[in-house]
Amino acid sequence: MSKFIKSFILILLVTALFCPVSMSADQGRNIYVVSLIKLPKKSKDHNKDIGKEGQRSPSRPMMCIFSEEGIQADIAPEEIMSYELWDQTEEFCIASFTDEASFLQYLFSYPGEFQIRIETDEYTYVGYLSTI
């Protein structure tokens, strides 16, 4: 393969992984693919494991698929404490759910632009979605 094609493919992959956008996976608009960022929750011993350099790399984005049938992500369902929809400015919580079915029903019933937060004990997964 030529160097140009390899470079082009690499640029496409990097763009797809690191852009916090959502896209409809089909024409029926009942499947959304969202890039989620894994953010650690602050704890008392937050800085305990930092080495002498004090540097930590940010986590890489994780792709998450939202459909009316369920959520596909690298998060164990039993670890999820809540599903939250925030406005994109992060000023107020639009809705919060403890179960996946209610969250998905709301998500597919009310079009809008949302920040999605999936809360676990140790992490918050954050992504952006437009259902308009």
Side-chain angles (χ1 to χ4, degrees), residues 28-112:
R29 300 205 55 60
N30 59 356
I31 296 175
Y32 297 102
V33 179
V34 178
S35 176
L36 297 177
I37 301 293
K38 182 179 178 180
L39 303 172
K41 291 187 176 179
K42 298 203 187 238
S43 66
K44 295 176 201 164
D45 53 328
H46 175 68
N47 292 328
K48 192 180 254 185
D49 295 331
I50 294 181
K52 293 182 180 185
E53 295 83 31
Q55 300 289 329
R56 290 188 178 163
S57 298
S59 62
R60 74 170 215 262
M62 166 181 69
M63 300 310 283
C64 182
I65 300 172
F66 295 93
S67 71
E68 294 178 83
E69 290 78 35
I71 298 173
Q72 295 177 357
D74 288 337
I75 309 169
E78 61 273 2
E79 291 180 7
I80 298 173
M81 297 179 349
S82 69
Y83 304 86
E84 299 176 355
L85 293 171
W86 288 69
D87 71 324
Q88 288 195 329
T89 62
E90 303 178 34
E91 291 182 16
F92 64 94
C93 180
I94 298 168
S96 180
F97 305 92
T98 56
D99 66 300
E100 182 178 304
S102 299
F103 168 72
L104 291 172
Q105 181 179 5
Y106 185 94
L107 185 66
F108 287 99
S109 298
Y110 300 99

Side-chain angles (χ1 to χ4, degrees), residues 10-27:
L10 181 61
I11 289 170
L12 285 176
L13 287 173
V14 169
T15 302
L17 285 175
F18 293 105
C19 291
V21 297
S22 66
M23 62 188 117
S24 176
D26 69 349
Q27 295 297 331

